[in-house]
Each structure stands twice: as C-alpha cells, then as structure tokens.
DNA sequence: ACCTGAACACCGTTCAAGT
DNA sequence: ACCTGAACACCGTTCAAGT
C-alpha cells in the first residue's frame, strides 16, 4: 500500500531550495539593497528559481519579510546575550548591530516586520534583566521599555541622519545611557 | 516684442493643478492608505490629472514624499507651539499628533522622508526650549535629543504594536516623561 | 505650456501546463 | 510535487504627439 514516495522518502521532484536558503538570500539582499531591494524576484534569482516557486515556501512577500525580520532579531538577540550582561554593554550591542545591519535593525523595529510581540519581548530579555537589576523588579518592565524606546529612537534618528547637526553623536549616546541609567535607578 | 504670454500673464494652457493641491492630496492619501498608498497614480486621480502630469510639479515620487513629510512636520510643529510650552505638554502634543496621523508621524521620523535636518531641528525648537529650561543651556541640545529619541522610539514601538504585552501603555508613557524629566534635570 | 496615451521596465501574484 | 512561462493588475517614469 506504499505510495510512490513512502519507501525511500524520495519525491517526484525534490525541492531545489529550502526555506533557509530563501531567508538567507533575503537577509543578504536586505543588507546590500535595503528593504526595497528585498523583492520576490531578487530572492528567487539568488536561490536559483523563478519567483512563482517561492510561493511553495512562503505565503506571500509579507510572510517572507516577517521571516527575515525574525532571523535579524535572533541575530540581535545573540549579540546582546554575548556581552557582560550589564545595561551599558547591552546598549552598546544594540547600537553595534544597528550600525552593522541598518536595514535589518530598522525592519525589526518597524510595523512592517509584523513580528510576534511575545517573540520580540523574549529576544530583548537580557535588556529586561539588566533593567530589573537596576530599577528593581517592581519597575523592571517600565524601565526596560523606557530604555528600549530611547535606544531605538536614538538609533532610528541616527540612521536617518537626523542627528547630523551640531554635537557629537557618540557623546549624545553616552549622555543618554548615563542619564537613563540614573533615571531608572531613581525609580527604585 | 511681447511674446504671446507677456501682456496678460495668461499662458497657452494654464495648469489644472497647483503644488498645494498635490501635497494636500498626498497627505490625505497618507492618512487614509498609509505610505504605500501614496502613489503617483492615486495622487493624480485625486487632483484630476494623469500621473505623467505630476512631473511638471515634482521631480519624482521621492520629491513628492519629501514635500508631504515637510507639510506633516509643519503641522506637528504648529501643534507643539500651541501648548503651554512646558516639556510635559509638548510631549503630549507629540504623542497626540502621532495617534491622529500615524503614517505622517512615522514618515517624518523615517529616513524615507529625506527631510532637511535643519528644518527638522527648527520644527522641534519648542522642545529644545523646554529642555533648555530644565537642563540648562549647557546640555540643552543633548537633553533635547535624549527626550526626542525616547519619545519617537516610544511612539514608533507603540504604533508598531510592540508595547501590547503587559502593563498599561499610558502609564509607561507617564513613567518615561517623569523619569526623563528628572534625568535631564540631573544633568544640570 | 501643460496634458495625454502609449510604452517600458519593474513589482507581486495566480494558474494551467510541463516534468 | 515542484517548477515554469504566461498572464494580470499594479507600480514609476519617459516621451512624442495633441491642444
């Protein structure tokens, strides 16, 4: 009663690409061409198929963008977990990732990414922990949100070139980290 | 020696649209359809011409988007200038504008807007003044950037639905305003 | 001097036909 | 069971021709 495929596991025409291939190609395009360059056709070309074939692996372009955003978030999460765990080094990891992968960073924190909120919160848990250590468990969440909001806002404006007038951007970052840490400590 | 047009100021075929018409239509589309709906064809239809005619008034779509962003920024600027001038009311105006015109708000603080940096800084001058009043003139710019970064980051994440898990968003905003004000005061 | 249709090079997406 | 070309409905943009 075996079907044609059940015994060897072979299928009539095995897929030429995996979802991982597609997401990897998507990330490369995001890095090099920006979000506008993350097209179905460009991804298809990179993985060696025609655009319609991608629909065997992703629902539509939004779905692809979400998968790429998830991969970027995982990468950011790893970078944050690598550090010393204190708020300053986590903030630095945050900004380093943004400088290394501006398009990926902007995607993760935009509405376009359609990231699952629980997944996002889980990914930034090192930040939450660091804030809890400073602000105390009672205000940990609010403190983490205040710091995340400041960091994402700062970096977004920096990447948009909106901090190019007057003053040193690195100094402004240090000023912010310093002041925010104090502010969060003050909420204890 | 007068040419056909010099005497009366009439031209062979006077323009059916003004740049104001175009920008107004663009803002309406941005509000109702989002940035993706701000297309040359949709704007053209709204103002009663065909898409190619728009190129008599704007260089290209990027130019149109920039003009719309400038109009949104002017509107935000007015709202900030209307209040009592203190930091809390300015921050509230900021967030109110974002809730009323989410797509416009996101555009203004994205790289896509291509806004002139000097124009942006000028528009947020009420915020700068309020920060200077609290932080003192020495750290006014850094303080204003810290607060602007936090506010834009907070609102961006709020609009992206990234604050939907746990806790009250309004409370988180109040917490931030409170803590940031203290933080900036502490830099004096 | 503006407006237009037609054209071109792109998109995303669907689907019948090929293997 | 995947892959494909062809098709469709959109984009932005150019340009010769109409008025």
């Amino acid at each position: 009663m075996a079907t044609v495929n059940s015994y060897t596991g072979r299928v009539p025409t095995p897929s030429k690409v995996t979802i991982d291939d597609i997401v990897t190609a998507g990330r490369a395009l995001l890095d090099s061409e920006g979000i506008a360059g993350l097209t179905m056709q460009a991804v298809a070309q990179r993985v060696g198929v025609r655009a319609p074939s991608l629909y065997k692996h992703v629902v539509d372009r939004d779905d692809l963008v979400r998968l790429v955003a998830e991969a970027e978030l995982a990468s950011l999460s790893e970078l944050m977990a690598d550090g010393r765990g204190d708020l300053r080094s986590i903030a630095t990891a945050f900004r380093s990732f943004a400088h290394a992968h501006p398009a990926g960073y902007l995607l993760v924190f935009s509405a376009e990414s359609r990231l699952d909120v629980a997944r996002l919160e889980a990914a930034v848990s090192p930040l939450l922990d660091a804030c809890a250590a400073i602000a105390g468990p009672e205000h940990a969440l609010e403190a983490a949100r205040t710091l995340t909001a400041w960091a994402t806002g700062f970096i977004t404006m920096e990447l948009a070139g909106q901090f190019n007038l007057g003053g040193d951007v690195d100094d402004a970052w240090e000023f912010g980290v310093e002041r925010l840490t104090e502010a969060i400590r003050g909420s204890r």
Side-chain angles (χ1 to χ4, degrees), chain A residues 106 152-167 169 172:
Chain A
L106 289 174
T152 61
F154 188 101
I155 294 166
T156 301
M157 296 183 79
E158 181 184 12
L159 293 180
Q162 291 171 349
F163 278 167
N164 288 346
L165 228 57
V169 179

Side-chain angles (χ1 to χ4, degrees), chain A residues 2 9 19-20 23 30 33 39 49 64 66 68 85 90 92 98 134 143 147-148 153 158 165-166 182:
Chain A
I19 184 67
D20 275 355
V23 172
L30 184 64
E33 312 294 329
T39 69
V49 296
L64 171 61
R66 188 183 52 76
V68 170
I90 290 171
T92 300
I134 292 175
L147 199 115
T148 311
E158 181 184 12
L165 228 57
E182 280 308 310

Side-chain angles (χ1 to χ4, degrees), chain A residues 98-109:
Chain A
H99 289 171
H101 307 280
Y105 175 86
L106 289 174
L107 174 61
V108 166
F109 291 99

Side-chain angles (χ1 to χ4, degrees), chain A residues 127-137 140 143 188:
Chain A
L127 188 74
L128 193 83
D129 297 343
C131 285
I134 292 175
R188 217 182 233 283

